[in-house]
Amino acid sequence: MIYTVTFNPALDYVVKVNHFTLGMVNRTVQEDIYYGGKGINVSAVLKTLGFGSTALGFVAGFTGDEIERGVKNLGFQSDFIRVESGMSRINVKLRSEEESEINGTGPEITGADVEKLFEKLEKLRADDVLVLSGSIPHSIDDGIYERIMERLDGRGIRIVVDATKDLLMNVLPYHPFMIKPNNHELGEMFGTVPKDEEEIIYYARQLQEKGAVNVLVSMAGDGAVLIAENGAVFSMGVPKGTVKNSVGAGDSMVAGFIAGYLENGNYEHALRLGSACGSASAFSEGLACKEDIMKLYEELR
C-alpha cells in the first residue's frame, strides 16, 4: 500500500487576471479550484498512473469538508484526522504578468492530533510506501519527520521524503528510500552553488553517504539526475513543451518515480516515468493526465 502525508492540505484558488494592478479593483478572466498539498498531488498522479494510495493528514472546518469530498472525487482514499480548532487553508494563486501567492495558515494541530497520526502510521507494514512531503505547519514541531521515521525505523517501509534543507538533512540517519531535492536546495544544504551536473552528482553522493538510499535531483529545464542505491547514475533530459504551471510538477515527478519503481524495480524506467510526469504537469494547467504522461515518456527515449 502507498500512503501520502499532507500535514497542511489546502484548497488552491487559482485566478487569472489580465494586467493585475495593485490598489485597484481587478476582475478575473479565469478561476479554478484545486485540492492542494504536496501529498495530495502525489496521490492524484499515482491514481492517474493506476496506483491506489491513502492520503493522510489533518483537515478542519468547511474547507476541510471540501478537501475530503474533493479527494474522494479524485478517486483515491483518504484517512484524514479532523482537527477541532480553525479551518483548512485556502491558498490564493494569482496569475497575471507575474505569479503571486497568498497562502493560508491552516488549523491549530495539537499534540493529541499528532498522536492520532502516529496511531495510523503504526498500521503500516513492510514494503509499504510512505511519502512525506511539504512544509510543516507552525503548530507542529519541525522534528515531526524525524519522529515519524524513528518510530517506523527497521520495519522495511520505503519512505520517500520531499522537503527542503534542514527537514531533509535531519532524516538522513533513518535511511529514507528516496529524497528529491532540486539543484538549488542541494546547493543550500552544502553552502554552495553546483555549477554543473558533475558537481550535482558529487553532492548527491554526499547525501547518499549520509544515509539516503536513492537521491533524485530535479534541475528544472536541465532535466534530472538519479543516484541509485547501487551507485549507478542515471540522467534524464526534458521533453519540448511550454511551461504553463509551476505547481505540482515536483510532486508529479515523485509519483512517477514511485510508480515506475513499483512496476518493475528498474531505476532508469522510474526516472524516465518521473520525468515524464513532472513535465506533463508543468505543461498543463493542472496535474498531468495519463495520455500526456505517456506521450512525453516516449519522447524521452
Side-chain angles (χ1 to χ4, degrees), residues 185-206:
E185 293 164 346
L186 181 66
E188 288 175 0
M189 292 179 198
F190 294 97
T192 187
V193 179
K195 65 177 182 293
D196 53 29
E197 186 172 305
E198 183 178 349
E199 286 199 358
I200 287 172
I201 292 170
Y202 171 79
Y203 288 111
R205 287 196 188 279
Q206 298 297 306

Side-chain angles (χ1 to χ4, degrees), residues 24-124:
M24 301 292 291
V25 174
N26 295 269
R27 300 194 181 279
T28 63
V29 295
Q30 183 176 335
E31 303 174 22
D32 294 288
I33 292 180
Y34 300 99
Y35 303 97
K38 293 177 71 62
I40 289 176
N41 292 340
V42 172
S43 284
V45 177
L46 282 169
K47 172 62 178 177
T48 296
L49 295 171
F51 286 81
S53 66
T54 299
L56 304 173
F58 304 94
V59 294
F62 77 97
T63 44
D65 294 338
E66 179 59 21
I67 290 169
E68 288 191 292
R69 187 192 69 82
V71 162
K72 184 177 181 180
N73 287 343
L74 288 172
F76 55 90
Q77 299 180 33
S78 68
D79 192 12
F80 293 119
I81 295 158
R82 298 290 307 185
V83 176
E84 292 185 5
S85 178
M87 70 177 196
S88 294
R89 300 182 296 165
I90 299 175
N91 297 334
V92 180
K93 301 180 184 296
L94 171 65
R95 295 177 181 171
S96 189
E97 284 83 357
E98 296 180 316
E99 286 191 13
S100 301
E101 297 186 17
I102 303 174
N103 288 348
T105 301
E108 192 70 25
I109 301 167
T110 66
D113 295 324
V114 173
E115 282 302 317
K116 291 177 183 178
L117 175 62
F118 283 135
E119 290 172 8
K120 295 180 185 296
L121 294 176
E122 284 295 329
K123 299 176 184 177
L124 272 65

